[in-house]
Amino acid sequence: ALPIFSVFVSDLEMAKKYVQIDEETERRLQTLLPGPYSIVLNSKHVLPKQLESESGTLAIRIPDNKRIIDLVRIFGKPL
């Protein structure tokens, strides 16, 4: 099952704190993000379990919206 929610992160460096991203995946994500996509990856189980799917994945999103990115940076954690 896929995660019900996706969380906003400010950039790939922040995402790496919460999901597993290898070098190949990072290269692919750099071409897609920021953008309208939620990317489902294996969680590092740092955030509340309610945000993960039953299989331990987490959906992250780096929006193409400066205001949201700024809010995430100010908060210092995914929203």
Side-chain angles (χ1 to χ4, degrees), residues 18-73:
Y18 304 100
V19 292
Q20 297 172 20
I21 301 176
D22 60 34
E23 289 181 21
E24 182 180 340
T25 301
E26 183 173 4
R27 282 193 298 277
R28 290 180 184 176
L29 293 179
Q30 288 172 343
T31 66
L32 296 171
L33 303 172
Y37 306 106
S38 291
I39 309 297
V40 178
L41 298 164
N42 289 322
S43 176
K44 290 187 174 179
H45 312 294
V46 177
L47 294 174
K49 190 153 183 71
Q50 295 88 336
L51 296 173
E52 296 180 9
S53 72
E54 292 174 3
S55 60
T57 59
L58 180 68
I60 56 135
R61 188 169 188 171
I62 302 173
D64 192 13
N65 183 306
K66 184 180 179 337
R67 289 183 181 155
I68 294 174
I69 298 256
D70 288 345
L71 280 174
V72 174
R73 284 191 177 129

